[in-house]
Amino acid sequence: MSACDVPAESFAAMAEDSELHGIPENVLQLGSSVPPAPQHSDAECNPGTEASAAEGSWSGRWVLLRLLDQAEARHSAYLLAPKEASAVLEGTVPEAPRMDRKIQVSEQAQVFSERRSKAVCCSLPPSSSDSCSSESSEGKTSPRYMEQVNSKGSKDFCIKNIRQAAFGRKEIEMAEQEMMALMTLRRAAEGEKPLAGAKIVGCTHITAHMAVLMETLSVLGAQCRWAACNIYSIQNEVAAALAEGGVPVFAWKEESEDDYFWCIDSCVNVEGWEPNMILDDGGYMTRWIYKEYPHLFENIKGIVEESVSGIHRLYQLYKTGKLCGPAINVNESLIKQKFDNFYCCKETVLDALKRTTDVILAGKQVAVCGYGEVGKGCCAALKGMRAIVYVTEIDPICALQACMDGFRVVKLDEVISMVDILITCTGNKNVVLREHLELVKNGCIVCNMGHSNTEIDVASLITPELTWRHVRAHVDHIVWPDGKTIVLLAEGRLLNLSCSTVPVYVLSITATTQALALIEMFNAPEGHYKQGIYLFPKKMDEYVSVLHLQSFDAHLTELTDEQAKYMAINKNGPFKPSYYRY
């Protein structure tokens, strides 16, 4: 059908139909590409004339415009509120749709502004005078002032929201798939209950992989009470799943400083229940018991500690004669040093930096303070991304390793003014001071991969002349009077566990080591372990390795009797003497 065959009424219907589908009234003012509805004369309806072809073209354009407008209306439906969308699709136009959408944007901006102002208020470290001990970082009432009950009627826990338990259970089940070694240990020892009678109080990260460890300890017969060693690494849904499963857990993400120590105290200060084992990460639980409840050490059979800073505190107690029981140094165990500290940090430092800052690392100048196993992992990852890496070290052996790995060893003062990223990995205190931060360039990213939050002197940045601006989760901009800005991640706390996810398989190695250490100390004969700090036995290191080799379908070569005799070792291990360095 040509344009001439279309009656005038049809064009009117088209116009009405177009209005129904949302063509604005001023559409004809947009230019020559949107022509008016053609007016036909008898002469123009002759198919053989030039005008007829022109009018056919006009009609085709008009129909095309109508179809395009309908498509636009359907596309707009996705951008409108539900009522607006249904109205558009049904062929009706709500009154002043543009104004409604402007109002919505304004409301969203207002909500964002309110959230941001709350975040700025809570962006300062917990030790600042502006932080409120009775409120969480979201500005709501602390969970310690709310009563929650699990499905079994128990109230012996304090978490963010018990209703997240189902989601947390899925997280734990996923972690179990990657922690085959610990699950194998659980199944093998479940019948014997080697921890029956053990009352373990723990202060570790509250994450899915640690939940698998806690539940394993419970299956092996232990009673457990748990708090968190890091306020940013807590997974609220996992804490909920543990509470629903009957584990008294006291932790929620971004607790205040007051809440943090209240949670630790809630694990210990329980009527009719006294711990006889401690599983610690950072020494916080051990120090709290020593400070507030020293009489409890009379029944403590052993302490298992897994961090550099925690071991340092234990050695301080030991040297002064104040260590009130035996402890196993899991951090110095060979398998944790070689696998957890190195591979975990190598895998996570890049992820944490990119999640928080979206930074490109190629060509960036990075200073890494410390070249232990954590520093080695960080440097290897950064070098792989083609960053220019400088290393600071106090130990000449580690410094030589860094040089032979291709890194330049410097003093921090030599490079502080030109680096783009500054990472601490020492476990020490006051590694990066205010005087260093005064010299860094604008936009420098400052973060910590060591366990303790004392490596960066964050307290020195809480002064009237500096402005803290909370940008996003775990990212604060600290602005100097001249406009210079540094980017502080996780308030100087552990970067990867605060801002990233960690490979569960690697953490399974440490968790299995911790479980074996607890079993060893609890079942040791009376007096076997005296007051002191013991290293994890090499035979146990090898056993943990064997458990994890299963997931790789690896097949070990066995020594012949002649070979074992020649090497003067047992066919079943240990395969290296204690003085051997891997």
Side-chain angles (χ1 to χ4, degrees):
M1 178 184 293
S2 68
C4 305
D5 298 322
V6 181
E9 302 88 74
S10 297
F11 287 109
M14 288 183 187
E16 292 176 2
D17 190 57
S18 298
E19 289 177 3
L20 290 175
H21 285 81
I23 293 181
E25 294 179 357
N26 62 348
V27 70
L28 300 182
Q29 302 173 10
L30 298 178
S32 58
S33 62
V34 186
Q39 301 296 322
H40 302 284
S41 63
D42 293 339
E44 291 171 340
C45 289
N46 186 344
T49 64
E50 195 171 320
S52 174
E55 288 304 329
S57 174
W58 285 119
S59 176
R61 292 185 187 180
W62 182 253
V63 173
L64 178 60
L65 283 170
R66 178 189 169 203
L67 294 175
L68 289 173
D69 186 64
Q70 292 175 357
E72 176 65 22
R74 287 192 296 271
H75 174 71
S76 299
Y78 289 97
L79 305 177
L80 303 175
K83 289 185 177 180
E84 277 187 290
S86 60
V88 170
L89 294 175
E90 291 171 5
T92 59
V93 180
E95 183 177 354
R98 296 176 184 269
M99 182 62 69
D100 289 342
R101 290 166 68 178
K102 287 182 179 178
I103 292 174
Q104 290 175 7
V105 172
S106 175
E107 290 173 349
Q108 291 172 358
Q110 184 178 359
V111 171
F112 176 80
S113 177
E114 292 174 357
R115 290 178 179 173
R116 186 176 181 277
S117 63
K118 291 179 181 178
V120 170
C121 176
C122 298
S123 66
L124 293 178
S127 59
S128 69
S129 59
D130 294 335
S131 62
C132 301
S133 61
S134 62
E135 293 188 356
S136 68
S137 62
E138 296 178 0
K140 298 180 181 179
T141 303
S142 169
R144 64 189 275 194
Y145 300 110
M146 300 185 295
E147 185 177 276
Q148 300 185 67
V149 183
N150 66 12
S151 61
K152 300 173 185 176
S154 174
K155 301 178 182 178
D156 190 18
F157 61 89
C158 189
I159 58 172
K160 188 69 173 179
N161 189 349
I162 190 65
R163 289 176 292 181
Q164 295 180 316
F167 176 43
R169 178 53 52 188
K170 293 178 182 178
E171 294 283 320
I172 295 173
E173 290 172 353
M174 289 175 61
E176 289 175 349
Q177 300 301 314
E178 281 287 296
M179 303 180 74
M180 297 174 59
L182 192 59
M183 298 302 292
T184 299
L185 179 64
R186 181 192 294 188
R187 290 189 293 268
E190 183 176 3
E192 299 178 11
K193 302 289 183 186
L195 289 175
K199 297 180 179 179
I200 304 173
V201 63
C203 184
T204 65
H205 299 283
I206 305 294
T207 56
H209 82 277
M210 285 306 300
V212 177
L213 173 60
M214 294 179 214
E215 294 186 339
T216 297
L217 298 177
S218 298
V219 169
L220 300 186
Q223 298 177 29
C224 301
R225 299 180 68 83
W226 232 263
C229 68
N230 187 299
I231 66 172
Y232 287 134
S233 65
I234 302 166
Q235 293 177 266
N236 287 329
E237 65 277 10
V238 170
L242 287 169
E244 178 61 29
V247 178
V249 56
F250 301 83
W252 57 93
K253 194 175 183 70
E254 299 185 24
E255 317 165 331
S256 69
E257 185 176 5
D258 184 51
D259 287 340
Y260 176 82
F261 289 107
W262 177 87
C263 288
I264 292 178
D265 188 74
S266 298
C267 291
V268 182
N269 187 14
V270 185
E271 185 177 354
W273 192 93
E274 291 187 0
N276 53 24
M277 298 288 292
I278 299 174
L279 179 57
D280 221 346
D281 188 344
Y284 301 106
M285 183 63 72
T286 303
R287 190 162 69 170
W288 184 260
I289 294 177
Y290 180 81
K291 178 182 176 182
E292 301 293 334
Y293 308 98
H295 65 279
L296 293 180
F297 276 107
E298 297 175 3
N299 298 322
I300 298 294
K301 299 191 67 173
I303 303 167
V304 176
E305 173 60 57
E306 75 141 319
S307 73
V308 174
S309 55
I311 291 299
H312 179 66
R313 289 167 180 167
L314 288 178
Y315 274 111
Q316 285 180 323
L317 291 174
Y318 177 72
K319 290 177 180 178
T320 57
K322 297 178 180 178
L323 184 63
C324 301
I328 286 186
N329 179 355
V330 171
N331 183 73
E332 300 301 327
S333 71
L334 176 68
I335 195 157
K336 183 180 187 299
Q337 285 284 320
K338 293 296 181 182
F339 295 93
D340 188 335
N341 290 8
F342 179 80
Y343 288 105
C344 182
C345 296
K346 182 181 178 182
E347 294 268 347
T348 56
V349 64
L350 302 180
D351 182 44
L353 286 170
K354 289 183 175 294
R355 283 186 187 222
T356 50
T357 63
D358 303 314
V359 66
I360 185 171
L361 295 168
K364 288 290 190 293
Q365 299 193 72
V366 186
V368 177
C369 301
Y371 202 68
E373 295 300 324
V374 173
K376 288 181 176 71
C378 293
C379 289
L382 293 163
K383 183 178 181 179
M385 297 298 292
R386 302 298 186 267
I388 303 167
V389 183
Y390 304 96
V391 172
T392 70
E393 249 303 337
I394 61 170
D395 188 326
I397 298 175
C398 293
L400 182 58
Q401 286 179 312
C403 290
M404 298 190 71
D405 286 339
F407 303 109
R408 184 183 169 195
V409 178
V410 298
K411 290 185 176 181
L412 187 57
D413 294 338
E414 298 173 9
V415 296
I416 190 66
S417 62
M418 63 184 186
V419 296
D420 303 291
I421 304 173
L422 177 57
I423 305 174
T424 57
C425 308
T426 69
N428 207 333
K429 69 177 295 185
N430 294 337
V431 178
V432 176
L433 301 171
R434 172 69 180 265
E435 61 194 59
H436 295 121
L437 298 175
E438 293 283 355
L439 299 175
V440 299
K441 65 166 67 172
N442 181 51
C444 181
I445 299 169
V446 182
C447 57
N448 169 40
M449 282 290 289
H451 180 85
S452 177
N453 64 340
T454 59
E455 300 202 30
I456 302 169
D457 187 12
V458 176
S460 68
L461 300 176
I462 307 172
T463 55
E465 70 271 14
L466 299 183
T467 303
W468 285 61
R469 293 176 181 168
H470 189 69
V471 180
R472 59 171 71 164
H474 308 303
V475 181
D476 290 293
H477 283 183
I478 303 174
V479 185
W480 262 249
D482 62 356
K484 184 187 82 171
T485 301
I486 69 169
V487 182
L488 180 65
L489 304 183
E491 296 178 357
R493 299 178 187 272
L494 189 57
L495 176 69
N496 56 350
L497 284 172
S498 299
C499 309
S500 176
T501 56
V502 291
V504 174
Y505 182 85
V506 175
L507 296 179
S508 171
I509 295 173
T510 300
T512 307
T513 303
Q514 290 170 314
L516 288 173
L518 288 167
I519 293 172
E520 167 67 17
M521 297 198 78
F522 183 72
N523 290 280
E526 189 73 27
H528 179 75
Y529 288 106
K530 299 177 174 59
Q531 290 186 5
I533 302 172
Y534 297 83
L535 293 178
F536 195 67
K538 188 178 290 290
K539 181 63 178 175
M540 287 192 181
D541 275 328
E542 293 177 354
Y543 179 61
V544 174
S545 299
V546 168
L547 289 175
H548 284 85
L549 281 172
Q550 298 175 20
S551 61
F552 292 103
D553 193 26
H555 303 277
L556 290 172
T557 302
E558 295 182 8
L559 289 173
T560 65
D561 292 337
E562 184 180 0
Q563 289 173 326
K565 183 178 179 180
Y566 178 79
M567 297 294 295
I569 60 175
N570 190 305
K571 286 180 62 175
N572 300 315
F575 297 97
K576 300 289 190 299
S578 58
Y579 55 79
Y580 183 84
R581 294 292 177 263
Y582 286 80

